[in-house]
Amino acid sequence: MEMVRLNNGVEMPQVGLGTFKVRGYETVYQMLDAALGHGYCSFDTASVYQNEADIGRALKDLLPKHGLSRQDIFITSKLAPKDHGAEAEAGCRQSLEALDCEYLDLYLVHWPGKQGWKSEDPCNADWRQQSWEAMENLYRNGRFRAIGVSNYTVGHLQELLAKCQVKPAVLQVEYHPHLVQSELLAFCSESGIHLQAYSSLGTGCLVTEPKIKDLASSYGKTPAQVLLRWALQQGIGVIPKSTNPERIAQNIRLFDFRLAEEDVELMNGLHSDTRYCWDPRHVA
C-alpha cells in the first residue's frame, strides 16, 4: 500500500474501502473480512451512513483474526449535516462512541450546508465555522489525528483557510473522468490539502464507457482498476466500495501497473462536467 503524508505529518493510505449504503452487521463483517484479507487498512464511513456501530463492532472482532491492532488501520468518519453548528461536538463524539474508538484517524465535515436549511442561506457559513472549531478542539485533544472536509468548493476552502487555526488535511469530493475538477485539484495541491475521490467509477456508469473498456483490455485490467489508477497517478486518493469479495480484491491491485501519460490525457478528455452524486456549488 502506498501512503500519502498529510500536511500535519499523519500518513494516510492512498486506497481505502468505501462503505456508503453498506448496512447490516453480517454484510459489514463479510466485507471487512475480505478487505482486511486483501490488504486494505483504511476504511471510510460517515454518521449518515448509519453503519458506524456495525463497522466498529466488526473491526473489533476481525483485527485479532488478521493479526492486526487498532494502530494498523486508518478510520475516517464524517459529521452529519444535521449536526452543523452548536451540535457539532456532540455529533463528533457520537461517531467516536458508535465506532467504539478512543480516536479517529480522520474526521471530515460531510457537507458545507446544514440539513433542513436552504442552500442559499448565508448562515451556512457560520454553521460551518462553528463545526470546524469544534473539530479543531477534538483534534487538539487527540480524539482526531487529522481533520478535513468533504464536498467543499474552492470558495468554501478559501473561506475556511482564512479563519481556521488548524488547516484541513483532506478534501473528499466526487472526481472521475466525467468530472475532472482541475481547478479544485490545483488549489488543493497549492494549499497542501490532499484530495481524495469518491464515486471514482461514476456510480458504475464509467465502467461501460467504451474508451475505458478499450484501455482496460489493452492493460489486461478491469475498467475499475484503470479508473482508480488514473486517480492515483494524479496524487488523488480513492475509496472504492464493493461488497463483492472478487471486486474488493481487484480494487486494491493498483500498484503493479502504470498508465501511459497519453492514456491519462485521453481519460481527462472524457470530462463532461457530469456529477453522479451531489452538487455543492449552490451552497452559500
Side-chain angles (χ1 to χ4, degrees):
M1 176 62 66
E2 292 183 2
M3 310 289 283
V4 59
R5 186 177 293 275
L6 303 179
N7 59 25
N8 67 347
V10 167
E11 289 201 333
M12 178 181 181
Q14 280 279 54
V15 181
L17 183 74
T19 66
F20 179 52
K21 291 187 176 179
V22 181
R23 294 182 187 172
Y25 180 73
E26 288 303 318
T27 302
V28 167
Y29 182 95
Q30 291 169 14
M31 177 186 68
L32 294 180
D33 193 16
L36 288 165
H38 288 293
Y40 287 82
C41 55
S42 179
F43 306 95
D44 180 274
T45 183
S47 176
V48 298
Y49 297 174
Q50 298 180 35
N51 60 15
E52 289 174 311
D54 284 337
I55 289 172
R57 178 185 163 197
L59 286 172
K60 283 283 176 68
D61 291 343
L62 285 167
L63 290 179
K65 174 183 175 180
H66 290 273
L68 299 170
S69 66
R70 170 68 183 90
Q71 291 72 32
D72 296 317
I73 62 171
F74 193 102
I75 301 176
T76 299
S77 195
K78 311 176 194 77
L79 179 73
K82 69 178 179 61
D83 292 328
H84 261 314
E87 295 82 24
E89 182 174 348
C92 294
R93 292 188 180 279
Q94 185 175 349
S95 286
L96 284 158
E97 182 177 349
L99 284 157
D100 193 15
C101 290
E102 286 297 315
Y103 68 92
L104 295 180
D105 299 278
L106 176 64
Y107 200 77
L108 308 176
V109 174
H110 204 158
W111 182 253
K114 185 175 176 69
Q115 182 177 320
W117 292 79
K118 293 181 178 180
S119 296
E120 63 270 21
D121 194 321
C123 289
N124 281 311
D126 295 329
W127 288 315
R128 283 195 296 274
Q129 181 61 24
Q130 289 180 51
S131 297
W132 189 255
E133 289 172 0
M135 288 165 57
E136 285 181 326
N137 287 334
L138 288 162
Y139 170 79
R140 293 189 192 96
N141 292 336
R143 304 308 302 275
F144 301 146
R145 295 180 65 222
I147 54 177
V149 293
S150 182
N151 297 301
Y152 272 37
T153 64
V154 168
H156 296 139
L157 287 172
Q158 289 172 327
E159 169 196 274
L160 176 57
L161 290 170
K163 298 179 180 179
C164 67
Q165 294 183 27
V166 178
K167 190 175 182 178
V170 173
L171 168 66
Q172 188 184 105
V173 292
E174 181 179 356
Y175 203 107
H176 46 67
H178 282 175
L179 186 64
V180 183
Q181 300 195 65
S182 300
E183 180 188 2
L184 189 59
L185 178 59
F187 182 87
C188 287
S189 179
E190 293 165 3
S191 304
I193 300 170
H194 175 59
L195 194 145
Q196 185 182 61
Y198 68 75
S199 192
S200 293
L201 313 186
T203 62
C205 295
L206 278 161
V207 297
T208 58
E209 168 71 46
K211 291 182 179 179
I212 301 296
K213 291 175 69 177
D214 288 345
L215 283 174
S217 179
S218 70
Y219 282 95
K221 297 293 181 180
T222 68
Q225 287 171 322
V226 167
L227 288 160
L228 295 166
R229 183 67 210 179
W230 170 82
L232 292 178
Q233 282 186 211
Q234 299 174 80
I236 300 168
V238 292
I239 46 171
K241 182 205 80 175
S242 180
T243 57
N244 181 298
E246 184 178 355
R247 290 178 182 166
I248 288 172
Q250 291 170 347
N251 289 343
I252 201 171
R253 295 177 189 153
L254 305 174
F255 303 105
D256 61 348
F257 76 108
R258 185 173 182 84
L259 299 173
E261 288 307 311
E262 57 265 31
D263 292 333
V264 171
E265 289 306 312
L266 183 151
M267 293 173 69
N268 287 341
L270 297 174
H271 173 71
S272 58
D273 201 30
T274 302
R275 293 175 186 268
Y276 295 100
C277 301
W278 305 274
D279 188 351
R281 293 175 295 184
H282 58 283
V283 180

